[in-house]
Amino acid sequence: MRRRERLRVVANEAVGPYSLIRVERGGLEPGVPGQFFMLEAPGRLLPRPMSLCQAPPGELSFLLEAIGPGTRALAAVEPGDELHVFGPLGNGYRLDVHKPLLVGGGIGAAPFPYLSEELGGPPAILGFRSDLHAEAAALVPNAEVVVEPTLVTEPLTDLVTDCYKVFACGPEPMLAAVRELAPDAQLAWEAPMACGYGACYGCSVEIDGVLQRLCVAGPVLEAA
């Protein structure tokens, strides 16, 4: 059940160029891997959607990249600060599959530590733009890492014929390429969000000619 609470920041840890923000869990449930939470950035009007990265006892953690004013404000929090957190929201991954394989690109690896734990540590393929960004792969067990110009679809090509069921998260071009190789993949789409529960229509994206509110229909959608 989704809730909104003001939670204390436990730690802000650097993971390569990313920030791993750990907060006390309070009364929030972690939900299903692939669901998201709205984090209110200090001094910013609108919250930012963040996939849950880890859910250790008593905590929730979020991996983010500071690319705009909101994420920069979140990346600057310090232990003892407080954040308004709302969630879990949206639809996560369907976990009842045989032979799962995680495929992520860049900050799209954010939900995979929690997902990997729930699935028992399946193999993963993670792609990053640099060796520094690839430090985030240490959060995901059993991960094969590729760095640009190598794409995640190159090692994926050899695995999709082995009956793996793909869980993917990353930029839209990567999701489109994964979809070509694995038509039954579960894809976590990304879009800006203002509310997180379908009221503002700010996260509407066109998928196969149909507008989808990702915060309600997704963010995880079946590829086929």
Side-chain angles (χ1 to χ4, degrees):
M1 181 178 294
R2 67 191 188 195
R3 294 169 56 98
R4 187 189 307 272
E5 292 195 12
R6 190 175 181 89
L7 303 177
R8 187 178 68 88
V9 175
V10 175
N12 182 348
E13 303 169 355
V15 182
Y18 305 118
S19 297
L20 184 67
I21 310 299
R22 294 166 44 205
V23 301
E24 291 181 341
R25 183 179 297 192
L28 272 62
E29 294 296 326
V32 177
Q35 288 187 291
F36 67 96
F37 291 75
M38 300 297 289
L39 275 60
E40 184 178 303
R44 307 302 302 178
L45 177 61
L46 297 176
R48 297 297 189 271
M50 297 290 162
S51 299
L52 183 63
C53 181
Q54 297 170 321
E59 289 186 10
L60 303 173
S61 72
F62 304 90
L63 187 70
L64 61 94
E65 184 175 14
I67 57 175
T71 47
R72 285 197 295 268
L74 286 169
V77 298
E78 298 179 352
D81 290 347
E82 293 185 335
L83 295 175
H84 281 290
V85 181
F86 179 39
L89 300 164
N91 295 306
Y93 291 102
R94 180 173 49 81
L95 305 180
D96 57 339
V97 301
H98 179 61
K99 292 189 69 174
L101 172 67
L102 314 187
V103 181
I107 195 61
F112 285 175
Y114 180 36
L115 176 61
S116 179
E117 181 180 5
E118 293 297 295
L119 291 174
I125 304 171
L126 305 178
F128 298 93
R129 74 188 77 161
S130 71
D131 290 333
L132 182 62
H133 289 83
E135 291 182 19
L139 299 173
V140 184
N142 303 318
E144 176 182 352
V145 176
V146 297
V147 176
E148 290 184 4
T150 304
L151 304 177
V152 293
T153 47
E154 294 182 33
L156 177 61
T157 302
D158 297 327
L159 292 175
V160 291
T161 58
D162 293 333
C163 300
Y164 279 101
K165 299 299 182 182
V166 174
F167 296 70
C169 184
E172 189 170 336
M174 188 208 85
L175 295 182
V178 169
R179 186 184 191 186
E180 288 292 321
L181 293 171
D184 60 350
Q186 297 182 60
L187 309 177
W189 295 79
E190 300 173 345
M193 297 180 186
C195 70
Y197 50 87
C200 70
Y201 285 75
C203 64
S204 296
V205 297
E206 185 174 338
I207 301 175
D208 293 336
V210 178
L211 282 177
Q212 301 268 19
R213 288 177 296 167
L214 283 185
C215 67
V216 176
V220 177
L221 301 171
E222 297 283 348

